[in-house]
Amino acid sequence: MTTPATYPTPRALFKTLDAHVGSVNVVRYAKGTAKYVMSGGHDRRVRLWNRETGLEIKTYVGHGYEVLGLDVAHDNAKFASCGGDRSAFVWDVTSGETIRRYHGHNGKINTVAFNADASVLASGSFDSTVRLWDLRAQSRQAIQVLDDARDSITALHIDPSEIITGCVDGSVRSYDIRKGQVSSDYIGHPVTSILPTEDSQSLLITSLDSTIRLLDRTNGSMLNIYKGHLNENYRSRACFGHGQSTIICGDENGKVWTWDLLTAAVIGPNPPESIHDKVINWVEHHPSEPGNMLTASADGTVKIWHNA
């Protein structure tokens, strides 16, 4: 196995985005060059930012409860949001209007995800189901409901041939769309985020036992375990660093941790300094540029980080 080049985690504060009132639950880069950033929070707002200037470009108002999940379409023309009002919204980025609103869940929606061409939207809910919505159809009814989970769905990922879900019941489930089959890997602790590697052979899993796991998807074995951070009560989404050579995650003490992918050793300060006043809910590294990272926190801020 070739050892990937290790890139440093961005730790120099570049901009603080502080327009939200209350917890910021999610922050996402736009697609492509990812010049823009979207955030959603407890204030029921989705906000669009220019990541170079730190200026807020637009505010999207429509949710009646907190915003918990966001996903940006491949062409950046639309995005999906979800939250406490049990509905999944699809928005036109430019006009700021909702294109579709999908109802059907019996509990808050924690996560949404588009497929590759944004023709289908998946939503995962506190009601233990995943619902699939056809954005091209006139009907507003779900085209499929996945109801194998026994507790709240917290995380989703869609590939061309499968859907992967993370659940509070401690399981990660993979649905083979073509074969109509489901397989499950039992983690044993509430799963709060999942993220596959670029080759889809491994899966990064965050759970509420202060542990991040790297799962081999071919045989279900654990390739590595990453520990040191505190994560027992809140979703704190992990991500890969640039080049997928490192693992990055925030924690409930407002710290960002970095581990070497292969050795699982902590890289940099151990423990790191607190960079937020409250729990870090979301960490996301830029999709293509080294040295560019986002953190979103319950302290009401999004922070953009560069390399020093």
Side-chain angles (χ1 to χ4, degrees):
M1 185 176 181
T2 303
T3 302
T6 301
Y7 294 86
T9 297
R11 292 189 179 273
L13 182 60
F14 177 65
K15 297 286 183 182
T16 298
L17 315 179
D18 58 2
H20 282 286
V21 178
S23 179
V24 185
N25 299 317
V26 57
V27 60
R28 308 302 307 268
Y29 283 102
K31 296 299 193 291
T33 57
K35 181 180 177 182
Y36 300 101
V37 168
M38 302 200 86
S39 59
H42 188 75
D43 59 5
R44 304 172 291 177
R45 304 291 191 264
V46 176
R47 301 180 189 275
L48 176 67
W49 311 84
N50 182 312
R51 70 174 173 89
E52 291 299 329
T53 64
L55 295 177
E56 184 178 353
I57 299 167
K58 204 173 199 58
T59 303
Y60 301 86
V61 180
H63 280 282
Y65 295 83
E66 65 176 333
V67 177
L68 296 171
L70 291 172
D71 197 26
V72 182
H74 64 292
D75 58 1
N76 290 323
K78 56 182 176 281
F79 72 92
S81 63
C82 65
D85 42 13
R86 306 181 181 186
S87 299
F89 290 26
V90 180
W91 303 77
D92 180 275
V93 171
T94 304
S95 71
E97 300 297 323
T98 52
I99 304 168
R100 298 283 181 99
R101 297 190 184 193
Y102 293 110
H103 311 283
H105 283 290
N106 297 317
K108 65 181 180 180
I109 304 175
N110 297 312
T111 179
V112 284
F114 287 113
N115 67 341
D117 66 356
S119 61
V120 174
L121 180 71
S123 55
S125 170
F126 186 79
D127 68 9
S128 306
T129 70
V130 174
R131 294 175 186 264
L132 305 182
W133 316 90
D134 187 343
L135 273 65
R136 297 168 298 189
Q138 291 298 317
S139 171
R140 298 296 198 270
Q141 299 299 311
I143 56 173
Q144 192 170 357
V145 179
L146 309 177
D147 58 2
D148 301 272
R150 299 191 184 100
D151 210 324
S152 179
I153 301 292
T154 55
L156 276 173
H157 180 81
I158 303 184
D159 278 334
S161 61
E162 70 174 344
I163 297 171
I164 310 171
T165 67
C167 182
V168 171
D169 67 12
S171 290
V172 173
R173 295 176 175 86
S174 300
Y175 296 85
D176 188 310
I177 299 168
R178 293 169 184 158
K179 296 180 180 178
Q181 297 174 344
V182 58
S183 60
S184 179
D185 291 289
Y186 185 61
I187 306 303
H189 300 274
V191 175
T192 56
S193 77
I194 55 173
L195 189 63
T197 51
E198 290 177 357
D199 61 9
S200 296
Q201 296 301 300
S202 306
L203 189 68
L204 191 67
I205 302 167
T206 308
S207 54
L208 292 183
D209 59 339
S210 299
T211 304
I212 302 167
R213 295 168 173 86
L214 189 65
L215 176 77
D216 186 327
R217 302 198 59 220
T218 59
N219 57 23
S221 65
M222 290 299 164
L223 297 172
N224 238 331
I225 291 177
Y226 311 91
K227 296 179 74 74
H229 63 304
L230 177 65
N231 184 201
E232 297 176 340
N233 298 294
Y234 300 95
R235 175 178 71 178
S236 193
R237 189 248 196 186
C239 69
F240 295 101
H242 183 74
Q244 298 201 326
S245 60
T246 58
I247 308 298
I248 306 171
C249 191
D251 77 358
E252 293 171 14
N253 289 322
K255 300 174 181 180
V256 168
W257 295 74
T258 304
W259 297 266
D260 184 280
L261 176 83
L262 298 179
T263 69
V266 174
I267 298 175
N270 185 9
E273 295 181 6
S274 294
I275 60 171
H276 282 279
D277 294 333
K278 295 182 179 179
V279 56
I280 297 174
N281 295 315
W282 199 276
V283 172
E284 186 152 314
H285 196 283
H286 191 281
S288 58
E289 293 179 12
N292 199 307
M293 183 180 75
L294 305 170
T295 56
S297 171
D299 66 11
T301 66
V302 170
K303 293 186 177 182
I304 303 173
W305 303 89
H306 287 181
N307 284 335

